[in-house]
Amino acid sequence: MARQQYSDFLCQLYGHKVQKLNVSAGFTCPNRDGTKGQGGCTYCNNASFTPAFGRATSSVTQQLLDAKLFYEGKYADMKYVAYFQSYTNTYAPIERLQELYNEALAVDDVVGLVISTRPDCLGDDVIELLQGINEEYKVIVEIGVETAHDRTLELINRCHSWQCAQYAINKVAQRGLVVGAHLILGLPGETEDDMMTTVDEVAKLPVRTIKFHQLQVLRGTRLAQHWERGEVQVLNWTAQEYAHLCRRIISRLPENIIIERMVSTAPSELLLHPRWGLKPAQFQQIFDAP
Ligand code: SF4
């Protein structure tokens, strides 16, 4: 059985060709507001993955309408999935979460949700809410795992453990929700063998999709400060070397796990390292090269 493409997987799940639309709903994160930690994960700069029309300067409805306008001109007969991506998208009182998710689903042609969150922000009330929505629409819960190594989680100030991620993935999947795992490759102090262990451990869990990418050192982060001062070493790999690692990873993942993405491309003005200067399609060509 050949591995399904992510776009085909979404099409099958939602019963229609869909485009994900980023929504920034004004959440914060317990690792920034002092509830779990201060200052956030050392590599985190949310501006690197929030497109202009997905900034929390307008309502969820307006963001979705603006984004739809952008895509409607490009693709005919498209449906949409609201992607709550920035910060921790289950970190608010349950009534507020319900209001925001319902607002997104009330927009014409929005047929489902992708909710990105931390594993320690998936309490029973949140899962019940998502489970209820999932009965009518489909919900993917994208859980930030990053690594299966607690020593690394501590080093990057994630303020949750690998066990916490395992527990959350199992609990969410048991409720019939689709679970996506997010991993970062090349975290400080990790060898390729460490990364393979993470991949193997995640593959044992009821994960339906995996999104992984290379660690990027971004301006304005604590990681950047540590890296510039030489206090932290990060891998100095080329795009070709990274593509080789991706091939190794994919070859050991079961065919039923869908690969959503394997590279990240932060805006050039934010990216300090590694500066490959590649668009995702250009990286794909390197990956596909014999
Ligand atoms: S990466 Fe996620 S969990 Fe970490 S500080 Fe940023 S928003 Fe919070």
Side-chain angles (χ1 to χ4, degrees), residues 143 165-175 179 204-206:
I143 300 179
Q166 289 172 292
Y167 180 74
I169 289 170
N170 281 316
K171 196 162 79 158
V172 172
Q174 276 161 12
R175 300 293 192 93
V179 178
K204 291 178 192 164
L205 296 169

Side-chain angles (χ1 to χ4, degrees), residues 67-263:
K68 269 180 68 181
L69 213 56
F70 178 82
Y71 287 106
E72 268 167 1
K74 289 181 144 195
Y75 309 105
D77 192 28
M78 182 67 84
K79 302 279 184 201
Y80 301 95
V81 176
Y83 180 24
F84 286 78
Q85 181 186 22
S86 300
Y87 296 100
T88 302
N89 294 276
T90 55
Y91 186 54
I94 200 76
E95 299 75 21
R96 181 68 182 141
L97 295 178
Q98 187 160 23
E99 195 180 357
L100 289 166
Y101 302 156
N102 285 345
E103 183 180 341
L105 291 165
V107 174
D108 271 356
D109 294 328
V110 171
V111 295
L113 303 176
V114 179
I115 308 287
S116 168
T117 191
R118 291 168 55 91
D120 55 359
C121 289
L122 285 160
D124 288 342
D125 54 347
V126 172
I127 296 181
E128 266 164 39
L129 172 64
L130 297 176
Q131 193 181 9
I133 295 171
N134 197 50
E135 284 167 14
E136 191 174 351
Y137 303 89
K138 282 284 164 247
V139 180
I140 300 175
V141 184
E142 184 180 286
I143 300 179
V145 175
E146 321 314 356
T147 172
H149 302 282
D150 282 340
R151 65 170 194 280
T152 312
L153 290 168
E154 200 169 320
L155 194 65
I156 60 175
N157 196 44
R158 274 294 290 183
C159 294
H160 67 73
S161 63
W162 160 236
Q163 190 186 31
C164 172
Q166 289 172 292
Y167 180 74
I169 289 170
N170 281 316
K171 196 162 79 158
V172 172
Q174 276 161 12
R175 300 293 192 93
L177 294 150
V178 173
V179 178
H182 179 266
L183 308 179
I184 301 178
L185 303 174
L187 285 166
E190 292 207 348
T191 62
E192 282 201 13
D193 283 349
D194 292 330
M195 297 174 222
M196 293 305 148
T197 302
T198 293
V199 169
D200 291 346
E201 290 301 314
V202 169
K204 291 178 192 164
L205 296 169
V207 158
R208 197 71 186 85
T209 70
I210 284 196
K211 176 197 278 186
F212 54 86
H213 62 78
Q214 80 284 17
L215 176 69
Q216 299 183 105
V217 183
L218 301 174
R219 235 176 260 290
T221 62
R222 279 191 291 165
L223 177 63
Q225 287 174 1
H226 298 162
W227 177 71
E228 279 168 340
R229 289 192 215 124
E231 293 164 3
V232 149
Q233 303 295 314
V234 298
L235 290 176
N236 205 12
W237 48 20
T238 62
Q240 285 74 12
E241 287 165 337
Y242 178 69
H244 178 67
L245 177 76
C246 292
R247 283 185 218 108
R248 277 188 69 197
I249 287 173
I250 291 171
S251 71
R252 58 205 292 151
L253 279 173
E255 294 277 343
N256 65 316
I257 295 184
I258 310 295
I259 313 295
E260 178 179 349
R261 180 149 69 78
M262 55 188 171
V263 70

